[in-house]
Amino acid sequence: MKAMLLKSFGGPEVFELCDVPKPVPQAGQVLVRVHATSINPLDYQVRRGDYPDMVPLPAITGHDVSGVVEAVGPGVTAFVPGDEVWYTPQIFDGPGSYAEYHVAAASIVGLKPPSLSHLEAASLTLVGGTAWEALSVRAGLKAGESILVHGGAGGVGHVAIQLAKALRAKVFTTVRETHFEFAHSMGADVVIDYEKEDYADAIMRETGGRGVDVVLDTIGGNTLSRSADVLAQLGRVVSIVDIAQPQNLIQAWGKNASYHFVFTRQNRGKLDELSALIARGQMRPHVGAVYSLADIPLAHARLESPNHGIQGKIAIAVKGKP
Ligand SMILES: NC(=O)c1ccc[n+]([C@@H]2O[C@H](COP(=O)([O-])OP(=O)(O)OC[C@H]3O[C@@H](n4cnc5c(N)ncnc54)[C@H](OP(=O)(O)O)[C@@H]3O)[C@@H](O)[C@H]2O)c1
């Protein structure tokens, strides 16, 4: 089978499209013909060598699968060949999704929502699962509360906005001016241009000095410490970004704030929650661009470049043309 192989860490040019053996499903596993995958920042972080000890080379990376079950290993009863499925491969534990075939534990695989194309489904598993875990499981966002979603035009941000609206929260989000219309179309109530205005000033003005109940940090830098400036009493901050710089959390103490750190975990239950939202018309991933398996280096270069203009996700058509 064809796979995009990472043989050394570096720029997008280190990828090589190679022929590698097709995997064989073991007990409890399914073999999936991958129809689509997508690009996440984690993919270029891995490629450039941010996690060298976690990724033995050569490696197949990639963290979303939408495809069709081709075979099942011993003991698998939940799926049969021909089922359309979606999932996030186990991160840092085995080959990823930049390949024509992939094997996965059946326990992390879900039935693909029928109303989504493979390109759409592959654009949602990682970011949707992360947003679900951050907002529903960790922050416990409730109806009538408010949330600041940083980076509302991005992969996680655009689905976090939709999830927050489904949970009947008021949504504030930060984007560039060019993404205002997009952020509103995802359901954001108040859109803040992070290039033109200090977001903390905007939030405090818009909430009459109360602040928001939840902040979703998709940005890093000093966002953890600055979040305390915009939190209401008993507010919650959820960060999905690994942050190296020290943070001053003295304001958080005064707000009785709690902080949560999310590194997304795979399970079928989360995918089924997303399926239910999709079936109710409350969530739909936005595919901002599509590339082929062979053009993954171009897709990486695009997502990594500043002001790339992508709204939502970059999807990869593994079977068929982009
Ligand atoms: N912990 C986990 O399990 C997990 C899971 C998924 C993602 N992540 C991490 O979360 C981060 C976001 O992921 P993603 O998939 O959403 O990435 P993405 O698709 O690249 O989106 C990031 C968005 O942030 C915007 N942005 C950049 N600087 C900003 C700022 N200062 N204020 C507001 N928006 C800003 C970008 O748009 P413009 O530059 O055009 O404004 C872009 O739309 C990444 O670091 C990723 O590694 C972690």
Side-chain angles (χ1 to χ4, degrees):
M1 69 168 183
K2 294 271 181 234
M4 188 56 80
L5 220 56
L6 191 64
K7 291 185 173 169
S8 60
F9 297 119
E13 71 285 351
V14 298
F15 279 124
E16 222 177 289
L17 192 62
C18 297
D19 285 305
V20 300
K22 187 173 160 182
V24 176
Q26 306 299 312
Q29 293 183 326
V30 292
L31 171 69
V32 175
R33 173 63 167 104
V34 180
H35 283 230
T37 180
S38 85
I39 310 288
N40 292 283
L42 178 61
D43 304 354
Y44 62 69
Q45 291 156 6
V46 165
R47 191 213 67 227
R48 68 191 180 197
D50 289 7
Y51 307 102
D53 300 335
M54 312 286 276
V55 185
L57 297 179
I60 301 172
T61 60
H63 299 94
D64 293 284
V65 170
S66 182
V68 176
V69 173
E70 182 158 302
V72 300
V76 174
T77 52
F79 301 102
V80 294
D83 281 347
E84 293 198 319
V85 293
W86 66 335
Y87 59 95
T88 297
Q90 292 287 7
I91 297 172
F92 298 136
D93 188 16
S97 55
Y98 290 179
E100 290 177 320
Y101 291 89
H102 186 261
V103 289
S107 57
I108 64 164
V109 173
L111 285 173
K112 177 179 87 63
S115 64
L116 294 190
S117 67
H118 284 294
L119 290 171
E120 288 174 315
S123 297
L124 189 62
T125 73
L126 179 67
V127 295
T130 304
W132 175 266
E133 182 139 355
L135 271 53
S136 299
V137 180
R138 307 296 288 283
L141 183 66
K142 293 188 282 294
E145 290 194 319
S146 53
I147 180 170
L148 166 60
V149 174
H150 283 281
V156 176
H158 87 293
V159 294
I161 293 172
Q162 297 178 63
L163 175 58
K165 290 314 295 177
L167 295 168
R168 291 184 285 134
K170 180 168 183 177
V171 179
F172 301 78
T173 194
T174 54
V175 296
R176 285 176 200 271
E177 192 176 7
T178 45
H179 299 318
F180 261 48
E181 204 180 312
F182 177 69
H184 277 302
S185 74
M186 293 297 110
D189 298 289
V190 180
V191 181
I192 300 160
D193 180 349
Y194 74 86
E195 290 188 302
K196 296 223 174 82
E197 188 174 17
D198 182 278
Y199 68 83
D201 292 345
I203 293 283
M204 296 318 271
R205 184 187 65 239
E206 293 286 339
T207 60
R210 177 187 180 273
V212 291
D213 298 294
V214 174
V215 175
L216 175 63
D217 175 17
T218 63
I219 303 300
N222 66 356
T223 308
L224 279 189
S225 49
R226 292 223 60 213
S227 291
D229 297 340
V230 301
L231 274 188
Q233 274 290 326
L234 294 169
R236 291 90 75 197
V237 178
V238 189
S239 178
I240 62 168
V241 187
D242 49 352
I243 302 155
Q245 76 182 63
Q247 310 276 326
N248 179 346
L249 299 182
I250 190 74
Q251 302 286 354
W253 176 77
K255 295 277 178 76
N256 281 290
S258 49
Y259 280 71
H260 304 262
F261 299 93
V262 166
F263 182 62
T264 201
R265 296 170 293 173
Q266 289 73 37
N267 63 59
R268 187 184 302 150
K270 214 156 39 172
L271 294 169
D272 291 346
E273 298 284 2
L274 296 174
S275 290
L277 287 163
I278 289 158
R280 291 197 296 269
Q282 292 176 311
M283 184 178 283
R284 186 135 204 133
H286 180 83
V287 179
V290 184
Y291 290 80
S292 66
L293 182 66
D295 282 338
I296 280 178
L298 296 178
H300 267 232
R302 177 104 185 258
L303 193 68
E304 261 181 305
S305 61
N307 200 3
H308 50 59
I310 297 290
Q311 295 178 329
K313 294 281 299 181
I314 296 180
I316 303 295
V318 178
K319 188 168 191 275
K321 295 208 180 317

